Amino acid sequence: MKKYSLRFTLLSTLDLGAGNYLLRLTLPLHEGIFPEMAPGQFVQVAVPGGYVLLRRPISICSVFAEQRELWLLVGRVGQGTSVLTNLRDGSELSLLLPLGNTFSTEGIKNPLLIGGGVGIAPMLFLARSFAERGIRPTILLGGRTKEHVVLRDYFETLGNTHYTTDSGELGVHGRVTDHPILHEGTFDQIYTCGPKVMMLAVAKMAEARGISCEVSLENTMACGIGACLCCVEDLEGKGNTCVCTEGPVFDSRLIKKN
Ligand SMILES: Cc1cc2nc3c(=O)[nH]c(=O)nc-3n(C[C@H](O)[C@H](O)[C@H](O)COP(=O)(O)OP(=O)(O)OC[C@H]3O[C@@H](n4cnc5c(N)ncnc54)[C@H](O)[C@@H]3O)c2cc1C
Ligand code: FES
């Protein structure tokens, strides 16, 4: 898939709580064609201001091609994400996109999507793409508290949505792997994105039940295009592999569990 370097305009930044922000961006007509993007892919965002040199990788959270609109869910963790979530509406943002591979969805009829923290971002795009094909996915979202499980209304319109929270405020008390749906539900594919420890636990359960599972890794990245090797993951049978170009989505069986 061709990569583009484009200047988007920030339409709005919505404070979702718990340090999470939804950035709505639009591509002005003079920037040309709105690129094709698929669930699982990410963008490299240049941080305006010149204090943060490296672009920051952020998953594509939703795309509305007709409106030339792209959504990013950004968790504020350091300087780069602080700048990105404090921009004025109308600011310009330089994005390199679309990067990375995509979730495999061909022939899948009964998917389970599991997201934790800002790892729910690619799950919204994935849920939307299933819904557009007439498939209502099962969705399981986990967070520390109710406030940490964001964009719930959007997920609920797209799929049968379940929750877990560490605090017990919303859904099942505990982690996503404590939810009965993961133990009892019949699915032909599980997709997961979130903290690595969560993805490994989900992957182990999926593999034990014989359900195919894809994980989306969020390894630290610099270039995002396969040039610096700082994102490598040591995969089963493949050795060191660039997550930015070969991933970020991998079959869970390739991920070393220890
Ligand atoms: C493919 C991919 C998709 C991503 N999608 C999203 C997304 O949709 N939304 C989002 O908010 N974030 C996402 N991230 C993580 C995001 O890129 C980092 O949080 C961001 O680069 C941090 O930049 P910073 O300058 O704010 O923080 P820094 O100053 O660089 O770091 C601050 C703290 O965050 C930690 N950190 C930095 N990068 C990561 C990371 N990749 N994973 C875990 N901890 C990290 C650092 O170790 C440090 O403790 C994604 C990462 C990858 C690789
Ligand atoms: S981030 Fe540079 S090679 Fe992957």
Side-chain angles (χ1 to χ4, degrees), residues 20 40 42 47 52 55-61 72-82 118-119 121-122 216-221 243 248:
N20 296 304
F42 64 100
V47 180
V52 178
R55 287 174 181 262
R56 295 298 192 249
I58 302 289
S59 302
I60 298 170
C61 178
L72 302 177
L73 171 66
V74 181
R76 197 183 276 177
V77 293
Q79 200 178 11
T81 48
S82 294
V118 287
S216 182
L217 298 183
E218 294 199 343
N219 291 16
T220 303
M221 292 184 183
V243 172

Side-chain angles (χ1 to χ4, degrees), residues 193-236:
C193 186
K196 194 160 182 188
V197 60
M198 179 202 96
M199 291 194 287
L200 291 180
V202 168
K204 279 185 191 166
M205 290 188 65
E207 287 167 29
R209 294 194 60 206
I211 304 172
S212 171
C213 177
E214 286 188 338
V215 303
S216 182
L217 298 183
E218 294 199 343
N219 291 16
T220 303
M221 292 184 183
C223 71
I225 52 167
C228 70
L229 305 183
C230 87
C231 64
V232 291
E233 178 82 12
D234 182 15
L235 297 179
E236 289 289 0

Side-chain angles (χ1 to χ4, degrees), residues 7-237:
R7 297 192 77 78
F8 281 70
T9 305
L10 181 66
L11 290 173
S12 65
T13 300
L14 188 62
D15 183 350
L16 302 174
N20 296 304
Y21 298 81
L22 183 68
L23 274 59
R24 286 178 53 231
L25 308 172
T26 187
L27 185 67
L29 280 171
H30 62 75
E31 285 288 304
I33 192 162
F34 190 87
E36 228 179 272
M37 302 173 225
Q41 293 187 300
F42 64 100
V43 303
Q44 279 276 68
V45 192
V47 180
Y51 300 108
V52 178
L53 293 181
L54 295 172
R55 287 174 181 262
R56 295 298 192 249
I58 302 289
S59 302
I60 298 170
C61 178
S62 264
V63 166
F64 306 91
E66 275 178 30
Q67 292 93 322
R68 298 172 68 82
E69 202 171 308
L70 168 70
W71 288 6
L72 302 177
L73 171 66
V74 181
R76 197 183 276 177
V77 293
Q79 200 178 11
T81 48
S82 294
V83 174
L84 290 174
T85 53
N86 267 317
L87 296 170
R88 288 182 183 195
D89 295 354
S91 300
E92 276 197 348
L93 275 174
S94 163
L95 266 58
L96 194 58
L97 79 169
L99 301 175
N101 66 352
T102 68
F103 291 111
S104 336
T105 55
E106 187 83 23
I108 302 300
K109 294 197 168 50
N110 196 5
L112 170 63
L113 283 53
I114 304 179
V118 287
I120 70 165
M123 294 302 151
L124 188 64
F125 193 10
L126 185 60
R128 202 177 288 286
S129 82
F130 274 120
E132 279 165 5
R133 287 159 37 193
I135 295 168
R136 194 167 164 81
T138 303
I139 299 163
L140 174 58
L141 306 177
R144 275 160 48 201
T145 68
K146 185 178 177 183
E147 203 193 359
H148 287 83
V149 188
V150 298
L151 299 174
R152 298 195 298 272
D153 292 352
Y154 293 100
F155 280 103
E156 286 170 13
T157 61
L158 297 169
N160 304 320
T161 309
H162 307 265
Y163 303 103
T164 62
T165 45
D166 297 353
S167 64
E169 282 168 273
L170 176 71
V172 168
H173 190 176
R175 310 237 159 113
V176 290
T177 42
D178 295 321
H179 201 288
I181 203 150
L182 195 52
H183 304 259
E184 295 156 10
T186 45
F187 304 102
D188 49 9
Q189 177 80 37
I190 294 176
Y191 305 90
T192 183
C193 186
K196 194 160 182 188
V197 60
M198 179 202 96
M199 291 194 287
L200 291 180
V202 168
K204 279 185 191 166
M205 290 188 65
E207 287 167 29
R209 294 194 60 206
I211 304 172
S212 171
C213 177
E214 286 188 338
V215 303
S216 182
L217 298 183
E218 294 199 343
N219 291 16
T220 303
M221 292 184 183
C223 71
I225 52 167
C228 70
L229 305 183
C230 87
C231 64
V232 291
E233 178 82 12
D234 182 15
L235 297 179
E236 289 289 0

